[in-house]
Amino acid sequence: MIKAAILVDENNLVSQLKKMGIQGLHHWRSLREVMHELLEREYGPTEIVCHFYGAVAPLNKDINEHYNRKNFFRALRRDNIIVHEGRCISNNSKWEEKGVDVMIALDLVELSRTQNIIFLFSGDSDLAPAVERVKKPCKVVSVISDQLSSRWIKKVSDSVLPLEAFMAIIDKSHIRYIEK
């Protein structure tokens, strides 16, 4: 049986999707479902786990955003997606995520001990050293947009699956397009 993990860097993935005219997904579990179907077609029986990394605005800074994010993460957990929450800090008028890349890097190393394949939905070059480290025990496939110029993450990954190709096989009813 093939064991695979999906690691989703929410902030990085959402910014790539927006460049493609996509706001997000109605059901984030569709990432796991499509990947599971592809792997079973290729390798036979497959066990797959999905990890999602994001952050929540502090309650005392933005109450509406805080509860919206908490509800979103609760919905992900109901879909059997493992949620890892980083911190948000205010940087001038913008929110900045902290700790997310470190959590992803640590999980890459940890999961490489038990998984055959890891699919990394992120083009963040900060993750390249972790990807290089885990390539020996398992295969790492980066799922990133063709529009992303992160040559380092592309270079260190075992292979790259274009995000555009992956999104093309997700049921269109699961995709939320940006309204024009």
Side-chain angles (χ1 to χ4, degrees), residues 80-95:
N80 293 317
I81 295 172
I82 301 164
V83 177
H84 305 272
E85 292 184 37
R87 296 180 300 119
C88 263
I89 62 167
S90 180
N91 185 359
N92 298 325
S93 62
K94 293 175 69 175
W95 289 106

Side-chain angles (χ1 to χ4, degrees), residues 150-170:
S150 180
R151 287 189 306 271
W152 194 14
I153 201 79
K154 289 177 181 177
K155 181 180 176 186
V156 299
S157 299
D158 289 303
S159 60
V160 176
L161 174 61
L163 182 59
E164 292 82 357
F166 186 80
M167 294 304 293
I169 58 178
I170 288 183

Side-chain angles (χ1 to χ4, degrees), residues 130-173:
V131 170
E132 281 181 304
R133 178 161 294 184
V134 305
K135 281 179 21 176
K136 285 186 179 62
C138 78
K139 182 176 180 176
V140 179
V141 177
S142 291
V143 185
I144 55 178
S145 173
D146 281 334
Q147 301 170 26
L148 200 65
S149 62
S150 180
R151 287 189 306 271
W152 194 14
I153 201 79
K154 289 177 181 177
K155 181 180 176 186
V156 299
S157 299
D158 289 303
S159 60
V160 176
L161 174 61
L163 182 59
E164 292 82 357
F166 186 80
M167 294 304 293
I169 58 178
I170 288 183
D171 186 323
K172 300 299 178 238
S173 68

